[in-house]
Amino acid sequence: MNMFRWGILGAGNIAARFAKGLSFDTDAELYAISGRNHEKLEQFREKNPCEKIYVGHENLLADPEVDAVYLALPHVLHKEWAIAALKAGKPVLCEKPAALTAAEMREIKRVSEETGTLFMEAMKTRFEPAYLKIRELLKDQTVRSAEASVTFNFPLEYFGKTYHTVNPGGGCLLDSGIYCAGILEDFLKGKPELTKINTNIYKDIDIYVRAQLQFENGTGVLETAMDRAVPKKAKIITDTMTVEIDDPHRPSVFRITDENGTREETVPYEYDDFYPEIHHFRLLVQEGKKDSDIMPMEASVRCAEILDVIREGFTDYTEEEAKTIEAQEKVLQYESFGAKEAFELGCIIVNLAKEYDRGISVSITRESDGMLLFGWADDSKKPANEMYMAMKRKTVQDTGHASVWPYLKYRADGSYAEWLTDGIHAISGGAFPVYTKEGLIAVVSLSGLHEGKDHELVVRAIARHLNKEDVPSVKKALI
């Protein structure tokens, strides 16, 4: 049997990792690579021997000796070169994410079907032996929820210097969040609805996202980041068992909890984390298959749809978000509020703060005379937190609304633009007005959590203090 000949579009780090995984496939070889810089291609070939190098991806696609291509280009170029390769008759294994949006992925799928040429997203997670075993374990289960977290720490000084950190195509959601979307897509059905989101945007790039979504059969939670490295994990809950996966984008260890207790299983890689998808794809091509049964194109469309739904919650604000804040303020009014209530509320806030990943500072100030009714700060907090809390409080005093309210108004209709940098007001979440029938009685000010969680924590605490369960919630991202 003739050796299966691969071409790689791109000669970066991912291409090198692919070449290593390919080296374990004894029936295939790296035949050609393409890029923009001849010197860089020669350096790549020194470490990863191949027969041909091409300056210009179109030249590789024109080579009749290439049996399939691995697309290892920046995210923003995936659709363009996937379609070019498919039209050239080259089966495409495309590094994740396959496309920037669901619309792009549907276009790739259409071209694949029209040309009769195989396309598959390289969602390597799905091909690892441990993940395949989990899939088999859960195939007859009724899944109720799935959550996945894949985060890493990307140095801020590199922002704007790599394709991960420039738009279009940058951000943690596309880079590592796609692995989480792959897990949710696999086990949760139907079109998702965004129910809650926390984000951190830095220089117009999403560097932290935690989104909760409602699917037909259960709840999904996706967390991804490039500003922190917390333990990577996934959890799938069914009617009868819970499966927890360590490092879900490179799974090998997982735990099963059911009526018999908890047991841990380790299923090691077959060679490395790239080999299984490479081997699977080669067999598909050689067998004349037009789609993968493990990572079909429709699954890639759904993964992209999940990310689309999450992105809609980033900053696409309307008047409704500001009105929701106003509705919260109405629902969370007190009959009376004094030192006793301030102390009780402050203690609730401090206890709830233990559920978050950062420390807080909090104050509750009586507005009639500026008297501090409650004050507390975590050991990690500094005087800057007090200054920021005062700026948030000033926003409440001047608007009569929570400190995030003018931000939402500004993003929706362009008002309050002068408040963005005046150094007096802070229009991020964390300060909330305490109203009674007598008017504004106090302001709760909190700082430290970021990603809209300051506002979230205060609202949760007041709702608990007042025993209110039906509090309106802003589904889109707050700051």
Side-chain angles (χ1 to χ4, degrees):
M1 185 172 72
N2 294 330
M3 292 289 282
F4 188 90
R5 291 157 298 193
W6 280 93
I8 302 179
L9 305 186
N13 293 333
I14 294 295
R17 292 185 61 198
F18 177 87
K20 180 183 176 183
L22 173 58
S23 70
F24 299 113
D25 192 344
T26 56
D27 293 321
E29 65 180 356
L30 177 56
Y31 167 77
I33 56 171
S34 63
R36 297 175 298 177
N37 183 290
H38 188 274
E39 182 181 355
K40 183 178 179 180
L41 293 171
E42 286 286 9
Q43 292 171 352
F44 186 92
R45 180 159 65 171
E46 287 179 11
K47 297 178 180 178
N48 306 280
C50 61
E51 187 172 330
K52 297 287 183 73
I53 59 174
Y54 291 103
V55 176
H57 306 308
E58 67 279 1
N59 296 319
L60 185 151
L61 297 180
D63 188 335
E65 297 299 311
V66 174
D67 293 315
V69 299
Y70 173 65
L71 205 165
L73 299 172
H75 305 157
V76 70
L77 299 176
H78 285 187
K79 186 196 83 165
E80 173 189 352
W81 286 104
I83 289 175
L86 293 169
K87 288 183 175 180
K90 304 298 185 187
V92 178
L93 176 60
C94 180
E95 178 56 30
K96 58 77 195 166
L100 301 187
T101 65
E104 284 194 359
M105 184 56 221
R106 290 190 194 99
E107 188 175 351
I108 293 170
K109 182 173 182 283
R110 177 182 59 79
V111 174
S112 171
E113 292 170 344
E114 288 177 353
T115 61
T117 307
L118 177 66
F119 176 92
M120 190 183 89
E121 183 175 15
M123 188 74 75
K124 64 179 182 178
T125 298
R126 292 210 177 175
F127 301 88
E128 307 302 352
Y131 191 84
L132 292 173
K133 187 166 184 179
I134 292 168
R135 263 186 140 192
E136 180 66 21
L137 180 71
L138 296 175
K139 69 176 182 179
D140 296 323
Q141 293 284 318
T142 301
V143 173
R144 296 303 182 194
S145 70
E147 56 186 75
S149 175
V150 177
T151 70
F152 63 97
N153 210 348
F154 193 91
L156 291 181
E157 58 265 29
Y158 291 112
F159 266 70
K161 300 177 183 177
T162 74
Y163 71 85
H164 307 85
T165 59
V166 295
N167 279 325
C172 61
L173 194 61
L174 283 168
D175 189 48
S176 54
I178 188 67
Y179 288 119
C180 304
I183 292 173
L184 269 55
E185 189 283 327
D186 208 8
F187 296 104
L188 297 170
K189 308 307 175 188
K191 185 176 180 180
E193 177 188 353
L194 184 67
T195 58
K196 180 182 175 184
I197 184 169
N198 300 105
T199 67
N200 189 1
I201 308 295
Y202 176 76
K203 295 185 177 179
D204 292 325
I205 299 293
D206 52 288
I207 62 174
Y208 175 81
V209 179
R210 188 184 189 277
Q212 183 171 306
L213 305 117
Q214 186 63 43
F215 291 79
E216 286 180 7
N217 61 318
T219 301
V221 175
L222 179 155
E223 183 181 45
T224 185
M226 57 199 331
D227 68 340
R228 68 198 70 184
V230 297
K232 302 174 181 65
K233 57 188 177 182
K235 180 190 292 186
I236 302 155
I237 299 175
T238 78
D239 283 342
T240 62
M241 69 173 61
T242 297
V243 178
E244 297 173 280
I245 309 169
D246 293 344
D247 203 355
H249 86 303
R250 293 177 182 171
S252 61
V253 179
F254 60 94
R255 285 168 298 285
I256 305 161
T257 301
D258 56 20
E259 60 183 4
N260 299 314
T262 300
R263 62 189 184 277
E264 183 171 286
E265 294 197 29
T266 299
V267 185
Y269 295 148
E270 187 177 4
Y271 298 114
D272 72 358
D273 55 333
F274 272 72
Y275 170 78
E277 67 181 6
I278 295 170
H279 180 71
H280 172 82
F281 188 83
R282 174 175 65 79
L283 292 181
L284 291 177
V285 175
Q286 292 175 328
E287 294 168 4
K289 300 289 180 64
K290 304 307 178 186
D291 205 359
S292 168
D293 57 335
I294 296 178
M295 190 63 199
M297 288 184 286
E298 191 55 37
S300 293
V301 170
R302 285 197 73 230
C303 286
E305 286 175 340
I306 290 170
L307 299 193
D308 281 353
V309 168
I310 292 171
R311 269 192 298 268
E312 287 172 3
F314 277 9
T315 55
D316 186 20
Y317 301 113
T318 68
E319 287 284 343
E320 289 305 308
E321 281 71 53
K323 289 179 180 177
T324 300
I325 299 295
E326 295 168 19
Q328 287 179 344
E329 295 164 355
K330 279 189 177 179
V331 170
L332 297 177
Q333 286 194 19
Y334 281 79
E335 287 292 324
S336 62
F337 191 90
K340 173 178 176 292
E341 289 78 16
F343 179 76
E344 292 170 348
L345 175 59
C347 290
I348 292 172
I349 291 172
V350 172
N351 281 321
L352 284 177
K354 297 173 184 176
E355 300 176 10
Y356 294 79
D357 62 352
R358 294 183 178 94
I360 65 164
S361 295
V362 59
S363 66
I364 302 176
T365 308
R366 189 168 60 202
E367 288 305 308
S368 61
D369 57 7
M371 180 69 182
L372 180 67
L373 300 180
F374 183 91
W376 188 89
D378 183 83
D379 289 338
S380 63
K381 298 297 104 176
K382 298 179 180 179
N385 288 90
E386 295 295 317
M387 178 185 71
Y388 203 52
M389 287 159 56
M391 293 167 67
K392 293 181 184 184
R393 179 184 167 212
K394 176 65 173 170
T395 302
V396 176
Q397 291 172 329
D398 288 353
T399 65
H401 294 291
S403 56
V404 76
W405 178 85
Y407 173 76
L408 299 176
K409 288 282 288 181
Y410 164 71
R411 296 304 296 259
D413 63 19
S415 61
Y416 295 101
E418 71 276 10
W419 285 22
L420 288 175
T421 57
D422 70 357
I424 300 171
H425 301 85
I427 59 172
S428 61
F432 197 89
V434 175
Y435 279 105
T436 70
K437 62 183 179 181
E438 304 298 327
L440 180 64
I441 301 300
V443 174
V444 182
S445 303
L446 187 147
S447 178
L449 296 182
H450 311 302
E451 298 119 24
K453 295 175 184 176
D454 289 336
H455 179 85
E456 172 190 302
L457 175 53
V458 173
V459 169
R460 284 183 65 199
I462 297 176
R464 179 171 295 188
H465 193 210
L466 292 174
N467 198 26
K468 300 280 188 178
E469 295 183 358
D470 235 356
V471 180
S473 176
V474 177
K475 293 183 180 180
K476 295 179 182 177
L478 301 177
I479 62 170

